[in-house]
Amino acid sequence: MPPRSKSADPTFAAGVTSSQLSEEDFAARYPLTYQAMQPFVGRQAPVLKIVSRQDGFRRAGLVHMREAAFHEVAVLSPDQIERLLSEPMLVAEVIERPDDND
C-alpha cells in the first residue's frame, strides 16, 4: 500500500476532519481516534457505539446510558471522540453503521 500524503487530507480519519492538522499531527494528537478510524478510510463513515457503566454518566458533552447508543462520527469533534474512547466508565467502539433492521 502506498504511503498516504502527510498533507491535511479529510479522508485520513474516515469522516473526522481537522483541516489544520497534517495526518501525522492528527495521529499524534488523537491516537485512539486515528487508530479506530483507519479501517474505515475510503468507506462509509462509521458510527461510535457507546455503552455506559452507569446510567446518566456525562462525558464530552453527552449523557450516556447503559443501553447502547450510536453517534455519527461526523458530528463529533476529534477531541470528543478521543475523550469517549479513553473514558473507563464507557465502553466505546468505532463500528460500521448498523443496518436499520438491527
Side-chain angles (χ1 to χ4, degrees), residues 3 7 11 23 25 28 30 33 39 42-43 48 79 86 95:
S7 64
T11 64
E23 180 176 358
D25 291 340
Y30 306 108
T33 302
R43 296 171 46 195
L48 186 61
D79 284 323
S86 65
I95 63 169

Side-chain angles (χ1 to χ4, degrees), residues 9-18 26 30 33 37 45-46 73-74 76-79 81:
D9 175 1
T11 64
F12 63 71
V16 177
T17 60
S18 185
F26 186 94
Y30 306 108
T33 302
M37 297 297 185
V73 297
L76 298 171
S77 72
D79 284 323
I81 296 170

Side-chain angles (χ1 to χ4, degrees), residues 7-100:
S7 64
D9 175 1
T11 64
F12 63 71
V16 177
T17 60
S18 185
S19 61
Q20 299 171 353
L21 295 176
S22 69
E23 180 176 358
E24 185 177 282
D25 291 340
F26 186 94
R29 185 169 179 179
Y30 306 108
L32 297 174
T33 302
Y34 182 79
Q35 196 70 359
M37 297 297 185
Q38 286 307 292
F40 301 96
V41 171
R43 296 171 46 195
Q44 181 180 7
V47 295
L48 186 61
K49 177 184 176 183
I50 301 175
V51 177
S52 179
R53 298 182 193 282
Q54 172 187 339
D55 277 339
F57 181 76
R58 298 182 68 86
R59 183 62 69 231
L62 302 169
V63 177
H64 307 283
M65 306 305 271
R66 289 183 182 195
E67 185 176 321
F70 300 90
H71 301 277
E72 301 285 337
V73 297
V75 300
L76 298 171
S77 72
D79 284 323
Q80 286 176 301
I81 296 170
E82 195 72 13
R83 287 184 189 134
L84 295 167
L85 290 171
S86 65
E87 175 55 58
M89 288 293 293
L90 301 173
V91 178
E93 61 182 325
V94 177
I95 63 169
E96 212 170 290
R97 181 180 311 281
D99 291 336
D100 291 336

